[in-house]
Amino acid sequence: MMPNPKVTNELRTPPAVIAVIVAISAAASLFLAWLVYGHAPADVAGTRLTFLPAVNALLNGLCTVALLIGYRCVRRGALVAHRNSMFAAFVFSSAFLVTYITNHALHGDMRFHGTGPVRTFYLSLLASHIFLSVVALPLILITFFLSLTARFPAHRRLARITFPIWLYVSVTGVIVYAMLASYH
């Protein structure tokens, strides 16, 4: 029995598309690593746009809410509402990325001043947050590509992996901000 070509094509994503998404994600991650750890801040006095970390936390929080609403909608079969919620989450994450880049270009890396077990917890949380944010970027982009090109079976399979990682990164982003603000 021959496989149905429509189903086979629907499940397959062109390798070139995935390669481009992974390359863009890797370039963005390397740029961010350089910006955070290798670039001298432009505003050494730290006086311009000092509200950006709070905006970053707000955008992460809004992304979390949109993700949870999107998850609830897809579980109920409200696919249009799910799509709208996921686009909102994507917009919030994209806006976060812009403000994050701006903040680090101006102010550089912010140091955590807590000590003892709270410092260990913070550094562990931050490490998992950073690692999973690097993993999340290509997953989010590929999941969106699958949805936008109507490859829904593949989209569903990948979204089961992407969703918890994206949610974790959004939630831990808010926690990291709160801990930095509390111990600064």
Side-chain angles (χ1 to χ4, degrees):
M1 183 169 167
M2 296 284 296
N4 182 344
K6 183 177 179 186
V7 171
T8 303
N9 288 338
E10 183 178 10
L11 298 178
R12 234 176 245 179
T13 301
V17 171
I18 292 176
V20 167
I21 290 172
V22 169
I24 290 169
S25 299
S29 296
L30 289 172
F31 172 73
L32 287 173
W34 170 79
L35 185 63
V36 171
Y37 301 110
H39 174 266
D43 181 19
V44 208
T47 57
R48 296 188 313 210
L49 305 177
T50 56
F51 60 87
L52 284 177
V55 170
N56 289 340
L58 174 65
L59 290 168
N60 269 325
L62 291 171
C63 179
T64 298
V65 171
L67 287 171
L68 292 172
I69 290 170
Y71 178 78
R72 185 170 185 234
C73 289
V74 79
R75 301 296 292 169
R76 291 181 168 200
L79 298 182
V80 172
H82 166 72
R83 183 193 67 215
N84 293 340
S85 295
M86 300 315 289
F87 270 106
F90 188 81
V91 167
F92 291 136
S93 285
S94 298
F96 162 82
L97 191 55
V98 169
T99 60
Y100 181 83
I101 288 170
T102 303
N103 183 54
H104 279 289
L106 289 174
H107 306 127
D109 195 23
M110 191 171 184
R111 302 288 179 211
F112 181 72
H113 298 288
T115 59
V118 73
R119 182 173 182 77
T120 302
F121 173 78
Y122 171 81
L123 292 175
S124 300
L125 185 71
L126 181 62
S128 68
H129 172 79
I130 291 170
F131 174 75
L132 288 174
S133 67
V134 170
V135 170
L137 181 57
L139 289 175
I140 292 165
L141 295 175
I142 293 168
T143 303
F144 262 82
F145 171 80
L146 294 172
S147 173
L148 295 173
T149 57
R151 291 173 167 89
F152 296 117
H155 168 79
R156 277 190 291 278
R157 281 195 308 276
L158 188 57
R160 288 184 180 121
I161 298 165
T162 305
F163 172 75
I165 294 172
W166 193 2
L167 183 64
Y168 179 85
V169 168
S170 294
V171 169
T172 56
V174 175
I175 295 169
V176 163
Y177 166 76
M179 291 185 76
L180 277 170
S182 296
Y183 286 90
H184 192 8

